[in-house]
Amino acid sequence: MKPTDEQTAAADSFRAGSHLALQAGAGTGKTTTLSFLARATDHRGCYIAYNRAIAQDARARFPSTVRCKTAHALAYAAVGHRYTRRLNAPRRPAWQTGQALGITKALRIGEREVTQKALSNATLRTVTRFCHTSDEAITRHHVPRLRGLEDTDLHAQLAAHIVPVARKAWADLQQPDDGLVRFDHDHYLKIWALTRPRINTDFLLLDEAQDTNPVVEQVFLNQRDHAQLVMVGDSAQAIYQWRGAKDVMTGFDGTRLTLSQSFRFGPDLATEANRWLHLADAPIRLTGSPAVPTELGPVARPDAVLCRTNVGAMAQVMTLMAAGPRVALAGGGDSLQALALAARDLKEGRRTHHPELILFPSWGDLQDYAAHDPAGRDLQPLVNLVDTHGTDAILAAVAHLTPEPHAQVTVSTAHKAKGREWPRVLIAEDFGRAHYDNKSDEAANPQPPDPIDDAEARLAYVAVTRARQRLDLGGLSWIHDHPDGTPPR
């Protein structure tokens, strides 16, 4: 395929030896463009893929002069192989690990009792959060904020107990042969990053740069003195900050270019995408392909239904199953099953290990927290779903999910849909935002709707750009009535 003017400009800049940040909008062929760059030189390169599947696909598309690896694969080859015995160790409950590290009793903080199991879970999550950063040591800001202990002073009390144990756990993980803590892939990635490794290559290509963990960003930027750096991504698809990812493109010191011609969808959908790009204050606008006549309008039989939350996805699964089609859930039903089992434990008077619900002694406490505490508002859909259908019905629905290749419709969160596409897409109702409606104490005194924040706009942009043939805005249709919903020409 003949390269576009934008792809040619990127190749020219690459051949000139520039460090390059390439903003590539949805469907603009970023992997094709990176392959085009790699074929424009005889130099040796390394392509860092977001996951193993992307790396495998890239090997068939890149020339033999380019290694296609994930950051974890590079780390494993360098240091991770020394920990093979620990990687294959059997799983063990977090509370057993915590007990081995010295956590033997519950802790009272404010009005909450933090159980031994909750402390153990928080300790292991602290280590995981540390491993995603570029930090040299574990400190209090790596300790997760537990439900009910969000207050700064309460969190400080929790951190004072967690940090010493987490540091002990990290010291244990340095031992190659055996230890108390179960070793996983993020551990050797962090160990590798702390050695300040040098990747022997002439140029380095970083894919999905907008969702790079700081630990990988640090390794990538440290190659600048000896390798040409090229990062490609879409800042408007930076939707993983909540789990530690960082848009490294924004502050990158290099030539900035764009890919704005989408080959996935047509002009009408590009206009819709640009609405959300404007709201997200993104540095790019898209042009649709006239050869792809994508339509916007009602979709009776969608190939995919995209939801904002896991709970919204579960509600969609149950609604669709009741109507008869074979339903798949992107990524499988494990996370939903875990939530339903946690809810069942609470309803039956048992505490749960689930990290989101671990501090609640009963279902009634969770109901009260979701209904009356502003910090628990996002749990209200889960409470409503369980109170409406019951945990047994939810677990039965998960058990009857169909593998995607055999399903008639796939339900996915927008997060799990990133990088994917379907012919006909419906946006689920949990994207509706009630607080965007006009609010008033009296009908005669309407108040302006709340502004749309960047994170909401970015997630909506990801959702609407998954369709090739037809998009039903569904739960995002409120944007037509919002005063900020019409972007400037």
Side-chain angles (χ1 to χ4, degrees):
M1 186 175 67
K2 181 182 177 181
T4 65
D5 291 344
E6 290 174 325
Q7 291 172 324
T8 300
D12 290 343
S13 182
F14 178 71
R15 277 191 291 261
S18 302
H19 297 301
L20 184 60
L22 195 57
Q23 286 281 355
T28 57
K30 60 185 176 62
T31 306
T32 300
T33 303
L34 289 178
S35 176
F36 180 51
L37 301 189
R39 294 179 189 280
T41 180
D42 293 329
H43 292 163
R44 295 174 304 114
C46 180
Y47 165 77
I48 300 180
Y50 189 67
N51 58 41
R52 186 186 302 176
I54 293 172
Q56 289 173 338
D57 178 66
R59 289 184 194 114
R61 304 173 67 175
F62 280 82
S64 59
T65 52
V66 177
R67 288 185 296 157
C68 300
K69 300 281 188 180
T70 63
H72 284 89
L74 292 171
Y76 184 83
V79 302
H81 64 276
R82 302 173 195 162
Y83 296 85
T84 301
R85 282 184 58 187
R86 293 194 65 173
L87 277 168
N88 295 328
R91 290 185 179 273
R92 62 189 304 191
W95 68 267
Q96 286 186 3
T97 301
Q99 192 171 56
L101 291 168
I103 300 174
T104 57
K105 59 183 180 180
L107 175 68
R108 189 79 183 178
I109 299 179
E111 298 179 358
R112 298 279 182 185
E113 180 186 83
V114 189
T115 65
Q116 177 190 349
K117 292 178 179 179
L119 291 169
S120 301
N121 267 303
T123 298
L124 297 182
R125 288 171 64 198
T126 298
V127 174
T128 297
R129 287 159 62 96
F130 163 68
C131 287
H132 292 163
T133 72
S134 58
D135 300 333
E136 298 282 331
I138 294 174
T139 62
R140 59 185 286 181
H141 81 267
H142 299 119
V143 178
R145 291 187 178 271
L146 301 185
R147 297 274 189 182
L149 298 180
E150 294 92 349
D151 177 81
T152 301
D153 290 339
L154 297 178
H155 180 262
Q157 293 178 51
L158 176 68
H161 286 83
I162 294 293
V163 168
V165 189
R167 289 175 176 169
K168 183 177 179 180
W170 180 242
D172 173 87
L173 289 164
Q174 312 304 302
Q175 309 304 316
D177 295 324
D178 196 15
L180 303 172
V181 184
R182 190 171 191 269
F183 196 93
D184 70 28
H185 299 280
D186 282 346
H187 296 145
Y188 66 72
L189 177 65
K190 180 63 175 178
I191 292 169
W192 177 62
L194 288 172
T195 68
R196 293 194 162 265
R198 175 188 171 98
I199 300 174
N200 292 318
T201 189
D202 297 321
F203 63 88
L204 198 59
L205 309 174
L206 178 65
D207 200 358
E208 298 287 354
Q210 80 282 348
D211 284 326
T212 300
N213 280 337
V215 65
V216 176
E217 175 198 12
Q218 177 191 46
V219 172
F220 177 78
L221 295 179
N222 284 348
Q223 314 306 311
R224 190 182 188 98
D225 291 342
H226 71 274
Q228 183 182 4
L229 303 183
V230 178
M231 57 172 59
V232 62
D234 185 353
S235 291
Q237 293 192 53
I239 58 175
Y240 284 109
Q241 288 95 334
W242 54 275
R243 71 178 192 193
K246 177 183 176 184
D247 177 13
V248 303
M249 303 189 72
T250 306
F252 182 65
D253 181 15
T255 301
R256 298 172 182 274
L257 297 173
T258 60
L259 298 178
S260 62
Q261 171 65 62
S262 182
F263 303 100
R264 179 181 300 160
F265 45 74
D268 288 348
L269 201 147
T271 299
E272 182 61 37
N274 288 337
R275 181 208 308 271
W276 299 102
L277 288 169
H278 166 71
L279 291 168
D281 197 24
I284 193 173
R285 299 293 182 269
L286 294 179
T287 301
S289 172
V292 186
T294 314
E295 300 175 333
L296 275 72
V299 174
R301 296 179 180 272
D303 299 290
V305 180
L306 303 187
C307 306
R308 188 177 181 277
T309 64
N310 281 322
V311 175
M314 187 70 255
Q316 279 293 323
V317 164
M318 298 186 74
T319 298
L320 289 166
M321 281 186 173
R326 297 187 302 275
V327 183
L329 183 65
D334 289 352
S335 62
L336 295 177
Q337 182 184 51
L339 266 175
L341 289 172
R344 186 170 71 181
D345 283 342
L346 291 176
K347 286 178 75 69
E348 294 178 356
R350 298 186 299 271
R351 299 193 78 135
T352 175
H353 308 298
H354 196 287
E356 281 292 292
L357 310 179
I358 199 166
L359 288 187
F360 299 103
S362 70
W363 184 250
D365 284 279
L366 175 58
Q367 288 174 313
D368 184 65
Y369 179 78
H372 304 297
D373 193 315
R377 194 171 297 155
D378 62 316
L379 289 173
Q380 191 63 56
L382 171 65
V383 171
N384 292 342
L385 184 72
V386 171
D387 286 345
T388 300
H389 297 283
T391 55
D392 288 346
I394 296 171
L395 290 168
V398 170
H400 284 90
L401 288 168
T402 301
E404 276 198 66
H406 307 295
Q408 294 168 292
V409 57
T410 296
V411 176
S412 177
T413 62
H415 287 90
K416 289 192 175 81
K418 197 160 77 73
R420 302 188 61 183
E421 57 185 62
W422 292 271
R424 299 176 302 278
V425 172
L426 168 65
I427 307 298
E429 288 304 315
D430 71 337
F431 268 97
R433 298 297 302 275
H435 67 271
Y436 286 151
D437 297 336
N438 280 345
K439 296 175 296 186
S440 63
D441 296 326
E442 299 178 12
N445 184 31
Q447 300 296 313
D450 291 341
I452 303 165
D453 68 49
D454 291 355
E456 289 292 330
R458 288 195 299 270
L459 194 63
Y461 163 68
V462 170
V464 302
T465 53
R466 300 307 99 195
R468 294 195 305 268
Q469 296 175 8
R470 192 172 179 88
L471 171 70
D472 186 338
L473 268 181
L476 285 170
S477 296
W478 55 262
I479 192 60
H480 295 141
D481 301 319
H482 196 283
D484 298 334
T486 303
R489 289 184 178 275

